[in-house]
Amino acid sequence: MTNIAYLPVRNTAGKRERTKVANRQAILDAAREVFGELGYETATVRDIIRRTGLASGTFYNYYRSKEEVFDALADDGARRFRPILRAQFEQAADFESFLRGAIQAYFDFLAKEHESWRMNRPAGETFPHARSTPEVVAVFDEVREAFDKVLEREHAPKVDLDYLTAACIAVAREVGDKMLERRPVDTQAATDFAVKLILGGLPALPRL
Amino acid sequence: MTNIAYLPVRNTAGKRERTKVANRQAILDAAREVFGELGYETATVRDIIRRTGLASGTFYNYYRSKEEVFDALADDGARRFRPILRAQFEQAADFESFLRGAIQAYFDFLAKEHESWRMNRPAGETFPHARSTPEVVAVFDEVREAFDKVLEREHAPKVDLDYLTAACIAVAREVGDKMLERRPVDTQAATDFAVKLILGGLPALPRL
DNA sequence: GGGCGATGGTGACGCCCCGTCACGATTTCA
DNA sequence: TGAAATCGTGACGGGGCGTCACCATCGCCC
């Protein structure tokens, strides 16, 4: 009888494998903290790795550069947001409810992440706006696909989907940013604004 | 008779002053080229200064860092765009014509600048999205002011001006970016899209 | 026009961060 | 249990950064 319960922690593969995922995660966590405290520009690879207690060389066993670890963080965010977006799509009755659900979800997501990012960052410091990492592109594509399907379902006139997607994401991003600067942070109001702008504009768009 | 024509090049102040503006401009020009060829991240202060033939120390007599010279370039663009924007405002009959004029002007401006920036830059390389330099903030403020006045003039209902401005600039930026990726670059179509989206959305916006 | 103080270009220098690599410890597998 | 593979380690060379003492040149005034 090979009862797994008798073997200590055998349920999570070999030790090598375990420390690998642990290190990768530790670096990611440290990077999130350091970027939050020092700002992206100021932070150095060594600031990040120092916080993990690992040696400097070890960093490069996991990521090639500060940029790559930042992208990994962005990917991480996108990966966590994707299922939320998908859920909104699946339970949405029409375009309006999808749009509202998606934007509301994004703003809530933003507000929640806000804390873990902007912590003590020196004012004025800015992040590189999310790059085109695979997962981020995937979110963009997913939004376009969802738009396509929902508008198709409603027999809405064909419009420039690429522009529409870009515009919607742009509005969500920028209004989201402004929202975070206000006290109190009102995701409801911001959502209402963004949704009504887009929804009102949609019928006026040039047809293809 | 102190005829200026007899004095050679006395019209442009002393030599010190002249070389100063010349150097500053040379650095700015070199920076534009280098950023265009190498991308912002890859470019170094020494890449820039090397192209001017000046010594490395001289760079720091004019700018404190690569970031600052980039900001100066952004300021430069904003400063050149501002009068265009202002002209659109002054000759606009109503909100629609102002919006259309401003966005068309911005897209034309973008398309024109496009050449001098993206030259041979390695694909995927990205610029830090325009920072909050004074002149850039001024453009943002000017847009908001213009919106305010035009909407006031038309007795349009009060809406969240900050969100509206942010949203419009966001749409213009992002649709502009996408526009530049297409061949041929069609500023007309892009303008039409952006204007109709915003104009359609405006009446639907929540009132204050 | 000549001498003197101020201005600003110069490039070597020290500093720090980067990415690598040879080494050794630890784990895996037979 | 011993050999092989894996991976953490930190010292090291390379290079970009920002500074500074030096000196050529300019502006100014006698």
Side-chain angles (χ1 to χ4, degrees), chain B residues 115-133:
Chain B
E115 298 311 307
S116 48
W117 278 86
R118 302 240 165 179
M119 303 216 314
N120 332 352
R121 186 145 39 81
E125 273 286 352
T126 179
F127 280 123
H129 246 168
R131 239 182 300 239
S132 302
T133 126

Side-chain angles (χ1 to χ4, degrees), chain B:
Chain B
M1 145 180 186
T2 53
N3 191 333
I4 287 195
Y6 287 137
L7 302 171
V9 220
R10 222 316 193 249
N11 42 11
T12 42
K15 178 161 187 186
R16 282 233 138 90
E17 209 55 36
R18 269 180 291 135
T19 56
K20 249 203 304 194
V21 309
N23 284 350
R24 179 163 247 114
Q25 192 57 46
I27 293 174
L28 228 49
D29 291 343
R32 208 193 311 268
E33 288 177 28
V34 170
F35 286 151
E37 290 170 22
L38 266 34
Y40 175 76
E41 300 283 351
T42 322
T44 76
V45 166
R46 263 135 176 106
D47 288 330
I48 297 171
I49 203 65
R50 195 176 306 127
R51 190 162 300 215
T52 66
L54 295 168
S56 63
T58 305
F59 177 92
Y60 296 95
N61 286 340
Y62 294 93
Y63 300 99
R64 268 201 293 273
S65 63
K66 181 174 72 162
E67 287 72 38
E68 198 170 295
V69 79
F70 180 83
D71 284 355
L73 282 174
D75 258 29
D76 191 55
R79 198 170 293 114
R80 275 178 296 136
F81 182 64
R82 212 124 88 85
I84 302 179
L85 186 65
R86 185 171 289 268
Q88 288 303 325
F89 169 67
E90 276 160 9
Q91 75 182 57
D94 52 10
F95 186 75
E96 167 157 13
S97 60
F98 168 60
L99 193 67
R100 173 159 261 120
I103 291 184
Q104 180 76 250
Y106 174 65
F107 285 171
D108 288 344
F109 186 80
L110 255 193
K112 200 147 68 70
E113 298 280 287
H114 187 48
E115 298 311 307
S116 48
W117 278 86
R118 302 240 165 179
M119 303 216 314
N120 332 352
R121 186 145 39 81
E125 273 286 352
T126 179
F127 280 123
H129 246 168
R131 239 182 300 239
S132 302
T133 126
E135 204 65 29
V136 169
V137 170
V139 168
F140 185 95
D141 286 347
E142 185 139 351
V143 170
R144 194 183 43 220
E145 284 309 306
F147 276 5
D148 198 14
K149 283 186 193 134
V150 178
L151 291 175
E152 179 86 19
R153 192 199 293 159
E154 296 186 2
H155 306 295
K158 298 243 183 295
V159 298
D160 194 316
L161 254 193
D162 250 20
Y163 278 171
L164 180 63
T165 311
C168 290
I169 291 181
V171 168
R173 248 196 218 174
E174 224 60 34
V175 172
D177 264 18
K178 281 266 179 290
M179 171 193 81
L180 291 178
E181 286 168 12
R182 298 184 179 179
R183 290 295 114 78
V185 173
D186 186 350
T187 64
Q188 283 291 337
T191 303
D192 206 43
F193 185 94
V195 168
K196 283 181 171 156
L197 177 67
I198 296 169
L199 220 67
L202 191 59
L205 251 31
R207 317 290 163 91
L208 284 190

Side-chain angles (χ1 to χ4, degrees), chain A residues 166-182:
Chain A
C168 291
I169 291 180
V171 168
R173 250 195 215 174
E174 225 58 35
V175 172
D177 264 17
K178 280 264 176 291
M179 171 191 80
L180 290 178
E181 286 168 13
R182 297 185 180 180

